Amino acid sequence: MDRVPILKIGPVLLVSIQVDMQDQVALQLQEDLGERIVATGAKGVIIDITGLDIVDSFVGRTLSTIASISRVLDAETIVVGMRPAVAITLVELGLSLNGIRTALNVERGMELLSRSTEPDSPDEFDLDLDDLSETTSP
Amino acid sequence: MTTVVGAAQLQAIVSDEDVVRVRQLVRTAAVTAKLSLVDQTKVVTAASELARNTLVYGGGGQAEVSTVDNGARRGVRVVFSDDGPGIADVELALTDGYTSGGGLGLGLSGARRLVEEFELNTEVGTGTTIAITKWAR
């Protein structure tokens, strides 16, 4: 079975779906992402669906589930690269991608994520591991 | 009168992979029938929903994909059939949000919205046949 690769770029996990996914592949991605978020402490997930020529209710539901799982694990999901024909079809199908943020492309998605994670870490330098061990060790 | 152009393609639906194959066959037929990109996307999406239903609810079956011509326009016709349990309440099954499984309940109702022609024949204990047609504009 194919697996969708998950790349780590800084605090973000990038998933680019390039294959016509079987349902099992989509479910596997859901599991893999959860594990990678926990393993890497990623704060954001970008799912690039430029390569998908359709999004049916199963894939749509999987994307929503991934977003929910990520949120529980303290990471935000942004779906990018949806083709216009796919967007039109999704709406007519009656699928609302609940809880999913979208952006036009990977670049905009990255911008969105860095903006939404910035206010959380204004004291980034104070939260260095070194500082932490100094204040907790004595 | 609607006539079939070329040979109809038969695809068994017994696994996830077959759902992908049905999508690819429908895409090819839609391109042949010169459907617009949006219409191709709609009919492939509808076929994906119905192929999955055939697999999950019908216990497997088959899809017959053909390019059709009604004299004025070309289109794609896909007939899904299974020997599964059938649908007891068609009205209910076609309601947005209703599902007898774990899905979103958009498969049947959504697929119907995405195509021009949608014929459903079902008999409890015998099986279900759904024929859809999407015409080029």
Side-chain angles (χ1 to χ4, degrees):
Chain A
M1 190 178 72
D2 293 328
R3 250 184 146 103
V4 181
I6 302 170
L7 309 175
K8 183 175 180 298
I9 303 175
V12 173
L13 296 179
L14 177 65
V15 180
S16 182
I17 303 172
Q18 298 290 347
V19 290
D20 192 343
M21 280 193 299
Q22 289 175 35
D23 293 358
Q24 280 304 322
V25 176
L27 292 176
Q28 185 66 50
L29 172 63
Q30 193 174 301
E31 284 179 27
D32 290 351
L33 255 178
E35 279 172 22
R36 284 297 296 276
I37 291 169
V38 171
T40 61
K43 299 297 283 178
V45 176
I46 290 184
I47 302 178
D48 181 12
I49 60 167
T50 316
L52 286 189
D53 53 18
I54 69 153
V55 171
D56 62 14
S57 65
F58 187 87
V59 171
R61 179 170 56 146
T62 306
L63 291 174
S64 287
T65 308
I66 286 175
S68 304
I69 294 171
S70 306
R71 196 172 309 114
V72 174
L73 297 174
D74 194 24
E76 186 168 4
T77 304
I78 300 187
V79 171
V80 307
M82 186 181 294
R83 300 181 186 186
V86 171
I88 292 169
T89 302
L90 265 184
V91 171
E92 200 160 328
L93 185 64
L95 205 63
S96 56
L97 295 177
N98 275 330
I100 294 189
R101 293 183 74 183
T102 55
L104 222 47
N105 52 40
V106 174
E107 206 179 346
R108 295 249 186 114
M110 289 284 198
E111 273 173 34
L112 258 182
L113 279 179
S114 64
R115 240 183 286 153
S116 61
T117 50
E118 256 168 24
D120 285 348
S121 49
D123 307 323
E124 211 177 319
F125 295 108
D126 298 336
L127 287 173
D128 265 346
L129 272 180
D130 291 349
D131 290 1
L132 213 67
S133 57
E134 267 172 36
T135 51
T136 50
S137 52
Chain B
M1 210 190 97
T2 302
T3 53
V4 175
V5 184
Q9 305 262 1
L10 264 184
Q11 174 65 54
I13 304 174
V14 292
S15 73
D16 267 8
E17 289 167 54
D18 296 330
V19 175
V20 175
R21 290 193 189 103
V22 169
R23 289 204 286 259
Q24 289 163 350
L25 280 177
V26 174
R27 170 73 66 177
T28 307
V31 170
T32 307
K34 294 194 163 57
L35 264 66
S36 72
L37 183 58
V38 170
D39 286 340
Q40 287 174 32
T41 307
K42 285 181 181 177
V43 71
V44 174
T45 306
S48 185
E49 299 292 346
L50 297 175
R52 186 177 296 105
N53 280 359
T54 300
L55 180 65
V56 175
Y57 300 105
Q62 64 169 33
E64 189 185 324
V65 184
S66 49
T67 305
V68 290
D69 193 320
N70 69 356
R73 295 187 294 175
R74 283 199 166 189
V76 188
R77 182 175 163 85
V78 193
V79 183
F80 298 88
S81 47
D82 67 60
D83 306 323
I87 303 168
D89 189 337
V90 174
E91 197 74 20
L92 182 63
L94 280 167
T95 308
D96 261 351
Y98 172 78
T99 177
S100 62
L104 293 172
L106 290 172
L108 270 188
S109 55
R112 181 164 68 165
R113 273 195 296 275
L114 293 173
V115 296
E116 277 93 40
E117 291 169 26
F118 183 98
E119 300 152 45
L120 191 158
N121 287 293
T122 186
E123 200 174 320
V124 173
T126 308
T128 302
T129 301
I130 297 176
I132 57 169
T133 310
K134 183 89 186 161
W135 294 103
R137 278 178 287 187

